[in-house]
Amino acid sequence: GAVVSQHPSWVICKSGTSVKIECRSLDFQATTMFWYRQFPKQSLMLMATSNEGSKATYEQGVEKDKFLINHASLTLSTLTVTSAHPEDSSFYICSAIPGRRAPYEQYFGPGTRLTVT
Amino acid sequence: AQSVTQLGSHVSVSEGALVLLRCNYSSSVPPYLFWYVQYPNQGLQLLLKYTTGATLVKGINGFEAEFKKSETSFHLTKPSAHMSDAAEYFCAVSGFQKLVFGTGTRLLVSP
């Protein structure tokens, strides 16, 4: 149980275009989802917290207009990287919390590798 | 605010040897502590967690960790390394509404 999927697993896009990454909780409802970014050989950096039906809460330094997060249902959150540039190339990982569990009860997706050319 | 420090970005062991990955934490409240493993190009898998109760926590794949409040540590150990243990390991502490990760330790296992 508690499986989180991401789609796509990898994507290559051209500079200036937008790309959408989906995060789904497959067998549970998630009121809260998180989006992380991971640079090569570095730790996970929390980008934003996404709550179903409300606006995402972004961490300091993360551009809200560049990284659009939508948590439209209890099983789906999307991250859209707008006007992508090579410096946005990274590994993006989402996580989800089942129901009303504590914030540390996160289940992680497999990640999406974004390469901007 | 919570934070974790992982000592050693790389740890090399021989197959069958003891694995010791170090993690020290800082927390203004009683911490919840975690170890995750990440294989290349994959997400994170929870190895074990400490919330309350017994300070020696056993996890999956033969790993265990001991919460030592006096030393503010939560080191990860495994008695005998296996080649399949080669991966990146992250220590994390639970803050208010989010997890805070350490910088990770890459475990290398040689035959």
Side-chain angles (χ1 to χ4, degrees), chain A residues 97-112:
Chain A
I97 301 175
R100 299 289 180 185
R101 292 193 192 176
Y104 57 82
E105 300 263 9
Q106 297 182 31
Y107 293 89
F108 288 83
T112 296

Side-chain angles (χ1 to χ4, degrees), chain B residues 80-93:
Chain B
S80 178
H82 192 272
M83 295 295 291
S84 61
D85 294 327
E88 188 85 18
Y89 292 80
F90 293 96
C91 182
V93 62

Side-chain angles (χ1 to χ4, degrees), chain A residues 5 10 16 30 33 44 50 54 57 63 68 74 82 101 108:
Chain A
S5 70
W10 60 270
M33 291 183 170
L44 280 72
S50 166
S54 63
T57 302
E63 298 177 61
L68 300 179
L74 288 172
T82 62
R101 292 193 192 176
F108 288 83

Side-chain angles (χ1 to χ4, degrees), chain B residues 15-87:
Chain B
E15 192 172 21
L18 171 71
V19 175
L20 171 61
L21 304 182
R22 300 178 184 273
C23 173
N24 288 88
Y25 70 90
S26 172
S27 178
S28 56
V29 297
Y32 290 175
L33 295 159
F34 309 83
W35 276 100
Y36 289 89
V37 61
Q38 184 181 34
Y39 297 99
N41 294 311
Q42 294 187 29
L44 274 67
Q45 181 182 9
L46 180 65
L47 278 177
L48 48 80
K49 65 182 178 185
Y50 168 79
T51 53
T52 58
T55 56
L56 181 62
V57 180
K58 295 186 183 298
I60 61 173
N61 300 339
F63 285 94
E64 63 181 36
E66 186 171 11
F67 170 63
K68 292 187 176 180
K69 184 178 179 180
S70 61
E71 299 177 8
T72 61
S73 68
F74 190 58
H75 302 330
L76 181 70
T77 60
K78 182 174 181 178
S80 178
H82 192 272
M83 295 295 291
S84 61
D85 294 327

